[in-house]
Amino acid sequence: MIEKKDINILAIESSCDETAAAVVRNGREVRSNVISSQIDLHKLYGGVVPEIASRKHIEKINQVIEQALEEAETTLDDIDAIAVTYGPGLVGALLVGVAEAKAIAFAKQLPLIGVHHIEGHISANYIEHPSLKPPFLCLVVSGGHTHLVRVKEYGKYEIIGRTRDDAAGEAYDKVARAIGLGYPGGPKIDRISKEGNSDAIVFPKPHMENYDFSFSGLKSAVLNYINGCKMKGESFAPEDVAASFQKAVVEVLVEKSMKAVEEYGVKQFAIAGGVASNTTLRKAMEEACKVRGIEFFYPSPIYCTDNAAMIGVAGYYEYLAGTRHGLDLNAIPNLKIGER
Ligand code: KG4
Ligand code: ZN
């Protein structure tokens, strides 16, 4: 009898400010997931500084990969393929991961699989939810992206809506900065909103046609409110501003997602990306899906923000589909997600 061999993928992610490596077995089993975050470094500047990010990735990447192999109790000899994020993201940061992946693939004569970062975020949902299978809809909300995606099959995507300006996470970060909460703002707004009144201030809910989003108007309305208070010498309650801002964001995300769920008639809906760990968003989506009899999925917080396990999962399905990249694989900062 021929035994089915396990497929072990070493995955690398370096598109923004986390240097990450993971070993994933058979697509859904995370054997290790190592993340070296640069947040404390970028905090000093109020956001990610691309040049610093690239330099830090170079310093950390070998260590992170060694640790991922060690924690998975494996070596490169047991790895079947190398998966790496090659876009979208910061070009200098992406290049570090891509060059590393190419070097390992060349040295060990392993297949190389370039993965789209958003495909990784979506695939993070597969790790903890064996019952989630395409077709389904996924809302990807992170610091760089707000995409409503139709997952038609493993590795086959159609973007049905996207932000026209700021990403949801970007709006969280900018509002948090204006309130004086620091970077990254999302988790801080999440936390202080719990003590605030979400009806205290009525911020405009951004309305776009179809499934597109826009958050820059809402962000400006919050900044205007804060500046107005300051100019009048009035104080404002940061927790009320945070809660009212969050209410507007969450309402729009839920409304559009549910409209799409109904139109496309899917039975499963998932959220992904850093903002998917937001407690108010999760609760609101959970309720909206329950009313409609739709199964709702979200990853644990560690798989919401950038990590390499999600790249290993996406890489596995690409591996099965026969995706292979050559050693000419390049970083593509504005890489489009799409049909294979
Ligand atoms: O997915 P991610 O790590 O990076 C990108 O690919 O962009 O997302 C980071 C973003 C940041 O904007 C951060 O403020 C936001 O996710 N975020 C949150 C929460 N945790 C992280 N936003 C709202 N609520 C949270 N709990
Ligand atoms: Zn991301």
Side-chain angles (χ1 to χ4, degrees), residues 15 117 121 142 145 306 310:
S15 66
H117 184 74
H121 273 303
S142 72
H145 316 277
D306 289 350
M310 67 184 196

Side-chain angles (χ1 to χ4, degrees), residues 175-216:
V175 165
R177 193 191 309 184
I179 303 176
L181 298 175
Y183 173 85
K188 291 175 178 143
I189 292 205
D190 194 357
R191 203 163 46 242
I192 71 161
S193 296
K194 292 188 174 44
E195 282 123 49
N197 172 8
S198 60
D199 295 318
I201 310 140
V202 180
F203 290 125
K205 253 199 311 175
H207 273 294
M208 301 295 291
E209 281 168 32
N210 55 49
Y211 293 115
D212 282 350
F213 302 93
S214 164
F215 294 104
S216 78

Side-chain angles (χ1 to χ4, degrees), residues 154-169:
Y154 287 112
K156 261 192 165 181
Y157 307 92
E158 182 195 352
I159 297 188
I160 60 170
R162 70 178 77 223
T163 183
R164 298 273 183 95
D165 38 59
D166 291 354

Side-chain angles (χ1 to χ4, degrees), residues 294-336:
I294 305 292
E295 264 189 290
F296 174 55
F297 302 90
Y298 54 84
S300 292
I302 192 70
Y303 296 129
C304 282
T305 41
D306 289 350
N307 65 88
M310 67 184 196
I311 302 303
V313 178
Y316 172 76
Y317 289 105
E318 291 291 347
Y319 176 87
L320 293 187
T323 304
R324 302 289 185 270
H325 285 95
L327 292 177
D328 57 350
L329 180 70
N330 205 354
I332 305 181
N334 57 353
L335 182 67
K336 302 276 175 290

Side-chain angles (χ1 to χ4, degrees), residues 237-295:
E239 58 279 9
D240 286 348
V241 175
S244 303
F245 157 76
Q246 181 164 266
K247 183 182 178 183
V249 173
V250 168
E251 276 183 5
V252 169
L253 294 176
V254 172
E255 237 169 63
K256 295 244 171 175
S257 301
M258 291 305 113
K259 197 173 147 215
V261 157
E262 284 167 11
E263 185 184 324
Y264 289 97
V266 290
K267 293 278 168 278
Q268 298 187 315
F269 173 72
I271 54 174
V275 185
S277 54
N278 184 272
T279 45
T280 307
L281 178 66
R282 287 176 176 215
K283 205 160 151 262
M285 287 291 191
E286 192 142 42
E287 279 165 16
C289 286
K290 203 171 163 195
V291 172
R292 291 165 179 83
I294 305 292
E295 264 189 290

